[in-house]
């Protein structure tokens, strides 16, 4: 569907958990106060929301977090989502440390694309950024995902000391796009120092004067791509701060607790969990035999064809999506949660 600005909203990012096994310094260096399990959406609840999303025009879903693979059963969720008519693509954004053990099940379930977050190829720096000595595992995960036939992108948050030349070398040797993301003033990101992609692009151009703009479509996102002749993958710049792309924004986000967020910058959106669970309680009262389990399929009436409350709430929230973010005026940011809670 289109929002009030006329933007077509086709892409839903789903945070399946706010938990993570890493402690990235710009994200959750000291961990977070995790949401209780009972407050997290069940897979069935996520499926119901995704089904309504598909009815409203969502075609692509990305699982993220926290670390999505820190939650058990992601293949099961992917399978549920892949079965929804209209959902064409399922992607995942992960730190890569838990990928290899579960990769065959993820692929079998229908995962199409994987974005692996990796800020450095230096083992010591990796440990300093993430709190864990796991660079070799992430590199093995990239190779394993490529070997399994997945489309792979590597995302690096651009920092003043990012060794971008070394990061770009990944795209030379492997068919992966290496993308640099500008740090956003969300959560801990407010206390970290990022770097402008404009500045980075200037440096890349100096080093590679033969750099060409790559107009081919690489996905549904806002990255601008460049090609270095002879490199297998492209270089992408995601310039949320210095290249505001709000006018072409096509996404909304679902937090792990079921809040449909329409912009990273603000708390705008709607509490879908309340609708799902409120409705279920009502149904249980009427039927007189409440179900104990949060995950059972028998509870799926809340988003059934006869029930439009969820659909209406989502449609209203999407229609009212803010026109643009206000990262350049930090005093106007109303989002108080960190990136791990809102799904990056
Ligand atoms: N744990 C997974 C991962 O790291 O890929 C998924 C969640 S993480 C919040 C999603 C992405 O957000 C990662 O690429 C991470 O580097 C990025 N990120 C976290 N905080 C950020 C910030 N303040 N600004 C820009 N990107 C950020
Ligand atoms: Fe975890 Fe991802 Fe946040 Fe790093 S960026 S702490 S991997 S959620």
């Amino acid at each position: 569907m289109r929002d009030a600005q006329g933007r077509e909203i086709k892409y839903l990012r789903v945070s399946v958990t706010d938990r993570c096994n890493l402690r990235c310094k710009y994200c959750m260096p000291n961990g977070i106060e995790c949401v209780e399990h009972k407050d997290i959406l069940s897979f069935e609840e996520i499926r119901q929301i995704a089904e309504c999303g598909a009815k409203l025009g969502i075609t692509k879903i990305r699982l993220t977090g926290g670390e999505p693979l820190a939650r058990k059963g992601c293949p099961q969720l992917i399978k549920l989502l892949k079965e929804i008519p209209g959902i064409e693509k399922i992607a995942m954004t992960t730190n890569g440390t838990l990928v290899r053990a579960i990769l065959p099940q993820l692929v079998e379930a229908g995962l199409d694309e994987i974005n692996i977050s990796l800020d450095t190829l230096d083992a010591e720096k990796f440990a300093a950024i993430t709190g864990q000595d796991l660079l070799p595992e992430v590199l093995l995960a990239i190779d394993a995902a490529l070997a399994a036939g997945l489309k792979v992108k590597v995302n690096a948050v651009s920092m003043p000391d990012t060794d971008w030349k070394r990061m770009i070398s990944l795209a030379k040797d492997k068919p992966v796009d290496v993308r640099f993301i500008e740090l956003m003033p969300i959560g801990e990101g407010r206390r970290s120092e990022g770097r402008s992609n404009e500045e980075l692009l200037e440096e890349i151009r100096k080093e590679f004067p033969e750099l060409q703009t790559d107009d081919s479509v690489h996905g549904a996102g806002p990255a601008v791509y460049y090609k270095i002749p002879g490199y297998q993958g492209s270089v992408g710049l995601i310039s949320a701060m210095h290249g505001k792309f709000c006018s072409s924004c096509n996404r909304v986000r679902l937090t792990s607790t079921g809040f449909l967020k329409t912009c990273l910058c603000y708390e705008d959106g709607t509490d879908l969990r309340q609708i799902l669970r409120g409705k279920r309680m009502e149904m249980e009262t009427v039927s007189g035999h409440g179900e104990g389990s949060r995950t059972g399929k028998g509870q799926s009436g809340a988003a059934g064809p006869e029930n439009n409350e969820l659909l209406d709430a989502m449609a209203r929230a999407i229609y009212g999506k803010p026109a643009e973010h206000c990262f350049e005026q930090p005093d106007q940011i109303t989002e108080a949660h960190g990136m791990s809670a809102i799904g990056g």
Side-chain angles (χ1 to χ4, degrees), residues 298-329:
Q299 300 168 351
S300 64
E306 74 290 356
N307 189 310
N308 287 326
E309 196 179 344
L310 194 60
L311 200 67
D312 287 350
M314 289 176 71
R316 268 198 308 275
I318 291 173
Y319 189 76
K321 181 176 159 68
E324 55 180 31
H325 71 60
C326 61
F327 287 147
E328 66 285 3
Q329 291 157 290

Side-chain angles (χ1 to χ4, degrees), residues 26 64-67 93-95 117 157 182-184 186 189 339 344:
Y26 49 79
T64 175
E67 171 48 40
T93 294
T94 166
N95 63 33
S117 303
V157 173
E182 284 185 345
L183 184 80
M184 289 172 261
I186 294 281
M339 213 49 125

